[in-house]
Amino acid sequence: CTLTFCGDGILQQPNGFEQSEQCDDGNTNNNDGCSSSCLLEAASIHLIKTAGDAPDGGTLFVITGSTVEFKYNVTNTGIVTLLNVTVTDDKIGFVGLVPSLAPGASVLLTKSAAVNADQTNVGNATGQSSAGEVSDTDDAIVDTVNPGINMQKLAGDAPEDTVFFTAPGPVL
């Protein structure tokens, strides 16, 4: 429904047709915080961060010292364009900058790092819009294992020169 008084710079609540304007910024342009129908434009962002091939919310198991690729899938879930979307990671630092992200659009950023110990690191995506700043966080969990072999030679009733090998921890 089109509001007759929308765009005149005067907030009508209700206007002559029993319609209420949520905003009236003096124009009928979209993506400036107040839509062409004088409704507030909402901004929101969603981040999904994963490590390696692990699903979102899953744990990646790697050998200590392995290089892990972290993925940051950023989606504009609002109805206004986001500008200067900055993606950071609390362990890795700066991941990337997306100059503009249209409503409904997504972008995938990646960054690799060596992982030497178990860690949970948190990604953050922050964007600016006419409706204000928005941000979202998500984490990824990486567990490291140390490969090794324990060797034990048995005496007594064990056959001569019998050796048993065991692996401590998960086998990758």
Side-chain angles (χ1 to χ4, degrees):
C1 114
T2 302
L3 302 176
T4 305
F5 300 103
C6 183
D8 65 1
I10 301 169
L11 187 62
Q12 306 289 328
Q13 297 227 356
N15 66 18
F17 299 97
E18 298 303 314
Q19 299 167 326
S20 293
E21 297 175 336
Q22 294 177 353
C23 57
D24 194 328
D25 59 357
N27 65 57
T28 55
N29 299 331
N30 287 319
N31 287 323
D32 65 355
C34 187
S35 74
S36 62
S37 58
C38 288
L39 301 175
L40 291 173
E41 296 176 309
S44 62
I45 193 169
H46 184 64
L47 172 66
I48 297 175
K49 179 183 178 190
T50 56
D53 294 330
D56 185 34
T59 301
L60 178 68
F61 294 93
V62 298
I63 295 173
T64 301
S66 295
T67 298
V68 174
E69 180 182 61
F70 294 95
K71 296 175 187 156
Y72 307 80
N73 189 352
V74 183
T75 302
N76 180 348
T77 53
I79 61 171
V80 293
T81 299
L82 297 176
L83 303 173
N84 299 320
V85 177
T86 304
V87 180
T88 59
D89 187 288
D90 70 333
K91 301 278 193 279
I92 301 172
F94 179 77
V95 175
L97 175 69
V98 180
S100 180
L101 192 60
S106 294
V107 64
L108 179 66
L109 304 173
T110 61
K111 188 140 187 189
S112 295
V115 178
N116 295 309
D118 293 351
Q119 68 181 37
T120 299
N121 55 330
V122 179
N124 181 26
T126 302
Q128 309 298 322
S129 78
S130 58
E133 181 178 281
V134 292
S135 65
D136 191 26
T137 60
D138 195 24
D139 64 9
I141 301 169
V142 179
D143 279 353
T144 59
V145 294
N146 293 313
I149 297 175
N150 291 334
M151 186 168 76
Q152 177 183 16
K153 182 175 181 181
L154 300 176
D157 293 341
E160 188 174 327
D161 295 323
T162 300
V163 178
F164 293 93
F165 292 95
T166 60
V171 176
L172 300 177

